Amino acid sequence: MKEDLPAERCNALALRQATRHVSQFYDQHLAATGLKGTQFSIVARLARGGPRSINELAHDLVLDRTTLGRNLRPLERDGIVALAVDPDDRRSRRLSVTPRGRALFDRAWPAWQAAQRRFEQSFGKDEAAALRSLMRAVTRIDLSPP
């Protein structure tokens, strides 16, 4: 009989719980803008980093294309992001923020900054920086099956 793994030792559960907790916190701060944290991340990446392909954006955000597509649909429908043919490679399409999306990002940015400040006040600025570093390290490890 297999030994039960205590919930407090499950890495996946701990990461998901922390992610949900922090995501809900950021969603509350962004609520007045109409954006969820996941949508803000997409819009921010495009607004600050410029146009990119769906594959590049999925890689940047550590999302599979299907999940990214589900998150993009309402943003595209609402005229916040646009998909257009890449002028350098007509076989490829690139995502960009529309003027409406840029205005929304500019309104949402202070709410995100407020959430960021509040999180760092509660958790600690150094601890938050260390946490981000650890989480980035987690995204770089090879977890593919042996």
Side-chain angles (χ1 to χ4, degrees), residues 72-87:
L72 283 171
R73 269 187 229 111
L75 295 173
E76 201 173 0
R77 178 197 65 221
D78 295 343
I80 296 165
V81 300
L83 196 55
V85 173
D86 183 342

Side-chain angles (χ1 to χ4, degrees), residues 33-142:
T33 70
L35 287 175
K36 295 237 178 235
T38 51
Q39 295 170 322
F40 177 82
S41 296
I42 292 168
V43 173
R45 183 63 59 143
L46 294 171
R48 297 186 71 114
R52 60 197 63 217
S53 72
I54 291 175
N55 285 340
E56 290 168 332
L57 185 59
H59 180 267
D60 289 349
L61 297 173
V62 192
L63 288 172
D64 62 74
R65 282 179 54 103
T66 303
T67 302
L68 178 58
R70 277 194 305 271
N71 285 292
L72 283 171
R73 269 187 229 111
L75 295 173
E76 201 173 0
R77 178 197 65 221
D78 295 343
I80 296 165
V81 300
L83 196 55
V85 173
D86 183 342
D88 297 327
D89 180 0
R90 309 229 5 106
R91 296 169 297 165
S92 181
R93 299 188 315 159
R94 297 185 72 72
L95 284 161
S96 62
V97 172
T98 64
R100 180 177 185 197
R102 183 64 203 205
L104 179 59
F105 171 73
D106 290 343
R107 281 196 326 272
W109 181 248
W112 179 87
Q113 288 178 307
Q116 191 78 353
R117 278 191 305 275
R118 175 79 169 91
F119 181 84
E120 289 182 354
Q121 287 168 354
S122 297
F123 191 65
K125 191 170 187 164
D126 291 341
E127 290 82 355
L131 178 64
R132 288 189 304 274
S133 180
L134 284 170
M135 293 299 105
R136 286 186 191 108
V138 168
T139 66
R140 289 189 301 267
I141 61 174
D142 182 5

